Amino acid sequence: MNDDQEKQLVEKILSGDFNAFHVFVDQYKRLVLHITFRMIDNASDREDICQDVFVKAYNNLNKFQFRCKLSTWLGRIAYTTCLNYLEKKRVPLLDDFMPADLTVDHFPSTANEPDILVEKQDIAGLIQTEMKAIPVRYRVVLTLFHLENKTYAEIGDILELPEGTVKSYLFRARQYLKDRLLQRFKKEELIL
Amino acid sequence: MIHPNDQNLQSYLDDTLLPQQKREIAKHLGQCPSCRQTLQIYRSMYQQLQEEIPDQLSPRFSSRVVRAVKNDSLGSVHMNLWHIFMVSFFVIVAINTALKYYDFVPMLTDLKTDFQGYFYGINNSLHDLDGSFLVFVQDFKLIVSAVLVLGLIFFIDILFLRSKHNPASSLR
Ligand SMILES: [Zn+2]
């Protein structure tokens, strides 16, 4: 969706066109889903949180100034809504997690004996499991970069972090995942 | 031989290196099986990271969100009505109280005369207006009671809307 289309859509929604809002939800639900599902482990709350994000967006749409992309603005709402939820549920955000701490030794291993036969599914499964062991900010950065193809700058805008921090989160998270995979599988098994 | 670090290999795959750095790493990868292997592992991992998250939203998600927003804005219309009602209610109560303690009849009579002159000038059929101000003052108590009943109805309405819109029940 280009800038003009975004502007038109926002104007229609603000004029009370609920069909336009339906289009808006359809357009951006994937983004909201990716952020929410990565940050919230509790499956029964996720869809409600996604709805909450869109209701908030609707109620604040008149404050949107077109200074950034609509998706960036919405992504930020999704991110802060999830953070608030996690804080309310007292889920540790591991914010005081120091860079050097993101190493394999600090996490309990989820698997012990390497299997003889490795399926692609196993690697995917391990990545999904390991994803839950890393701090939420790292997860969101990984998801926005790889699944949503966002740039460092856009991710920085959503998480309200400097670009350099986004980059280092991304590198460390991927290196951690790679080290985890190497603990669990042989090198040859990981080359698909 | 100096091996590129993990960060460099990742940047190589992200394609965010300067052309010069990119060439150097490509050259190194051509000669170093170990780095090639690490790069391959990253490449497999990148593929996995691009796979969709398996959990999906329910198919009626968008419609449900639109419905929630519609209900919410209906709620805000009710709130606006409520505010208008409260303001007018207090104005009426204030006038009523004032009328109780001060004698406004001479002033109202003057006002009536003015209105009479004005309306007679326009249309003779508006005779009935004569004296209507005094009737209005006499019926004030009745009007206030009616307003109070209306207020009670509105209040119940608001309580109902509140409970309907509390996040715990509306998000289900
Ligand atoms: Zn090498």
Side-chain angles (χ1 to χ4, degrees), chain B residues 112-157:
Chain B
K112 191 187 78 179
T113 321
D114 287 350
F115 264 87
Q116 260 176 345
Y118 178 67
F119 282 108
Y120 278 136
I122 298 168
N123 194 337
N124 284 339
S125 70
L126 281 172
H127 271 295
D128 299 349
L129 203 76
D130 189 16
S132 62
F133 264 101
L134 287 174
V135 173
F136 180 64
V137 173
Q138 281 159 11
D139 287 346
F140 226 101
K141 273 179 188 157
L142 195 74
I143 294 167
V144 169
S145 330
V147 164
L148 278 173
V149 172
L150 196 70
L152 195 68
I153 294 167
F154 260 96
F155 189 64
I156 293 165
D157 194 0

Side-chain angles (χ1 to χ4, degrees), chain A residues 131-150:
Chain A
M131 199 66 120
K132 294 198 165 104
I134 62 176
V136 277
R137 277 175 223 271
Y138 289 71
R139 299 188 215 173
V140 178
V141 170
L142 275 175
T143 304
L144 290 175
F145 188 84
H146 285 284
L147 221 50
E148 289 288 325
N149 299 316
K150 298 268 177 229

Side-chain angles (χ1 to χ4, degrees), chain A:
Chain A
M1 198 178 273
N2 66 34
D3 288 3
D4 282 344
Q5 287 170 317
E6 271 185 6
K7 223 168 205 161
Q8 275 182 357
L9 187 66
V10 169
E11 275 163 15
K12 272 190 192 167
I13 297 171
L14 288 177
S15 72
D17 183 343
F18 285 114
N19 287 330
F21 184 60
H22 199 289
V23 172
F24 172 82
V25 178
D26 274 339
Q27 174 80 26
Y28 295 109
K29 64 182 176 191
R30 192 172 166 269
L31 167 75
V32 172
L33 166 110
H34 284 158
I35 295 173
T36 310
F37 281 43
R38 267 288 173 260
M39 290 179 73
I40 312 289
D41 293 334
N42 182 351
S44 63
D45 285 346
R46 288 164 171 172
E47 190 156 326
D48 292 348
I49 293 167
C50 287
Q51 176 171 327
D52 210 16
V53 169
F54 280 108
V55 171
K56 270 187 200 163
Y58 184 86
N59 292 333
N60 290 290
L61 200 59
N62 54 350
K63 291 177 203 146
F64 179 58
Q65 300 289 320
F66 297 96
R67 287 204 197 100
C68 61
K69 280 187 181 174
L70 196 53
S71 59
T72 305
W73 179 77
L74 185 65
R76 207 182 299 145
I77 295 179
Y79 177 68
T80 46
T81 304
C82 291
L83 275 190
N84 289 340
Y85 168 90
L86 293 173
E87 271 162 20
K88 224 188 263 170
K89 294 265 168 176
R90 299 179 195 281
V91 175
L93 295 174
L94 304 171
D95 267 356
D96 41 1
F97 215 84
M98 290 307 289
D101 289 347
L102 196 64
T103 54
V104 194
D105 323 327
H106 290 257
F107 296 100
S109 179
T110 45
N112 305 315
E113 295 296 307
D115 292 333
I116 301 151
L117 190 74
V118 177
E119 300 270 331
K120 194 179 165 189
Q121 204 52 44
D122 295 341
I123 297 168
L126 184 68
I127 288 182
Q128 294 296 333
T129 312
E130 287 304 328
M131 199 66 120
K132 294 198 165 104
I134 62 176
V136 277
R137 277 175 223 271
Y138 289 71
R139 299 188 215 173
V140 178
V141 170
L142 275 175
T143 304
L144 290 175
F145 188 84
H146 285 284
L147 221 50
E148 289 288 325
N149 299 316
K150 298 268 177 229
T151 63
Y152 299 139
E154 283 172 313
I155 300 172
D157 277 346
I158 292 175
L159 274 70
E160 289 176 287
L161 289 173
E163 244 183 272
T165 311
V166 171
K167 252 189 235 183
S168 88
Y169 276 18
L170 191 61
F171 288 136
R172 274 185 271 143
R174 289 189 298 214
Q175 187 163 355
Y176 166 78
L177 286 179
K178 187 209 75 177
D179 291 346
R180 280 308 254 176
L181 286 170
L182 282 174
Q183 267 195 341
R184 176 75 174 72
F185 301 105
K186 292 193 202 91
K187 270 193 172 187
E188 311 77 60
E189 293 172 331
L190 290 169
I191 298 165
L192 302 175

Side-chain angles (χ1 to χ4, degrees), chain B residues 1-4 28-29 31-36:
Chain B
M1 196 191 292
I2 302 160
H3 302 283
H28 176 89
L29 287 166
Q31 307 156 349
C32 176
S34 161
C35 282
R36 261 203 314 273

